[in-house]
Amino acid sequence: MPYDVAPIGRHIAPASTMHSAKIGAITATRFAYGIPVHIKDWDQDAGNAFVATTIGGTARHWVDREQAVETPVGSSFVVDCSRTDYWVDFDPDHLQFNLTIPHELLERTALDWFGFNPGDALWQAKVGLGGAESSWLGLMDYVARSIAEAPERLTQGPLARHLEQTICVRLLNEWALRAGLDLNDPCHRLAPRTVRAAEQFMIEHAAELPTMADVARAVGTSVRTLSAAFKSFRGYPPSAFLREQRLQGARRVLSAAPFGASVSAIAAAWGYINMGEFARSYRLRFGERPSDTLRRGTA
């Protein structure tokens, strides 16, 4: 999962170390740069989530441009780099034990264990977890000891699958708890075909700003029935799903826009007429202005 790393300070040379091992599809890594560093621009196309556990020094993980979570020894931080941006600062004494987990593995585990894909309500949440004496830290200790004692048995086979599943299920529970998402809420049980078809239609046609009547007609039901199904199985109306897809679409385009692109033109392409309302909704959702995203994308 490529990323950009730069030293914090001048005239300093890294003294880096890294050891890695596989646990099924999960990569466990212990590393240190030996100097303070700032890391950014994690490759979203790699399709991975990242769980960083501090075992020496401290780390500062940025939730957005203004808020950060510090992880002292024994604490972890989770971010899905395939679904959101991420920056982290490590102090000169840092030592990390990290897990790189394919996003599709987490999605599959969520479907197998909880019956639904949590979506961006979870995948875009950047949260701290664990801590001294926590069960999560205990699991990380067990993982590290298992790697030390029998690394060849963890690359594939029954033990690898068991530990891989244990890590993913525990992570999903811890992550969801801190993101304010109840994985056992009945509204999250596997939704009927009409809800899933409506979601797919809205994902594909979000920029066209379909009405709820358009959506209902496309999946062969009424607006009333569709709204009731979303309320029962998703906990929010279909219009909220469409609104999220439009904001996400505008953000993707802003992030990849060429030099000279304008916020107003991109917003208009996603059905926004009132630029003030778009800017307010965007800042509330992503913690930054649309122009900030555009500037970073064209830098």
Side-chain angles (χ1 to χ4, degrees):
M1 182 166 56
Y3 55 79
D4 181 79
V5 58
I8 300 174
R10 304 177 63 183
H11 309 299
I12 52 177
S16 305
T17 62
M18 184 181 76
H19 303 275
S20 64
K22 297 292 288 186
I23 306 165
I26 299 172
T27 302
T29 309
R30 189 184 74 174
F31 78 88
Y33 283 94
I35 59 173
V37 294
H38 174 72
I39 301 177
K40 63 178 182 178
D41 296 338
W42 301 70
D43 183 12
Q44 291 195 5
D45 292 336
N48 292 317
F50 181 65
V51 189
T53 299
T54 301
I55 55 178
T58 60
R60 176 174 291 180
H61 306 269
W62 293 91
V63 177
D64 54 38
R65 295 287 176 177
E66 299 176 352
Q67 303 178 69
V69 173
E70 290 197 357
T71 54
V73 172
S75 295
S76 303
F77 189 85
V78 57
V79 58
D80 189 338
C81 296
S82 75
R83 293 297 186 271
T84 188
D85 44 17
Y86 172 54
W87 315 270
V88 60
D89 296 318
F90 292 125
D91 76 2
D93 301 316
H94 71 273
L95 181 62
Q96 297 293 126
F97 180 75
N98 298 333
L99 302 177
T100 302
I101 307 175
H103 174 84
E104 67 176 5
L105 173 60
L106 290 169
E107 276 198 1
R108 188 167 66 247
T109 303
L111 285 168
D112 288 344
W113 280 77
F114 304 104
F116 78 110
N117 179 349
D120 287 341
L122 184 63
W123 308 136
Q124 291 189 341
K126 310 172 192 180
V127 300
L129 51 89
E133 308 301 325
S134 68
S135 59
W136 173 256
L137 184 60
L139 176 59
M140 292 301 94
D141 180 68
Y142 175 75
V143 169
R145 291 176 185 273
S146 297
I147 292 171
E149 294 171 5
E152 70 285 348
R153 297 180 61 194
L154 297 180
T155 57
Q156 58 184 349
L159 181 59
R161 292 194 300 271
H162 173 77
L163 190 51
E164 178 189 84
Q165 179 177 266
T166 299
I167 291 169
C168 289
V169 173
R170 179 68 65 82
L171 175 62
L172 288 169
N173 275 305
E174 297 276 351
W175 193 355
L177 177 65
R178 287 156 181 79
L181 179 66
D182 183 0
L183 296 179
N184 296 306
D185 190 322
C187 76
H188 295 312
R189 62 188 183 273
L190 192 61
R193 185 203 66 82
T194 53
V195 171
R196 289 179 279 121
E199 290 173 335
Q200 188 60 39
F201 180 84
M202 287 187 278
I203 289 171
E204 295 174 356
H205 299 276
E208 301 165 22
L209 197 59
T211 65
M212 287 304 103
D214 294 331
V215 177
R217 191 179 306 113
V219 299
T221 189
S222 67
V223 173
R224 182 175 181 177
T225 299
L226 184 65
S227 298
F230 264 82
K231 183 176 180 181
S232 296
F233 289 90
R234 291 295 187 248
Y236 49 76
S239 58
F241 184 88
L242 178 60
R243 184 165 55 250
E244 176 69 11
Q245 301 316 303
R246 292 170 63 211
L247 284 170
Q248 291 291 345
R251 183 172 177 81
R252 285 193 301 272
V253 177
L254 286 166
S255 298
F259 180 79
S262 71
V263 170
S264 58
I266 292 171
W270 285 89
Y272 291 97
I273 299 173
N274 187 317
M275 291 300 105
E277 181 59 32
F278 170 67
R280 282 191 294 273
S281 298
Y282 192 94
R283 184 177 179 85
L284 182 64
R285 177 63 182 85
F286 301 114
E288 64 179 11
R289 298 171 300 178
S291 57
D292 295 332
T293 307
L294 179 63
R295 189 179 305 112
R296 189 169 62 253
T298 57

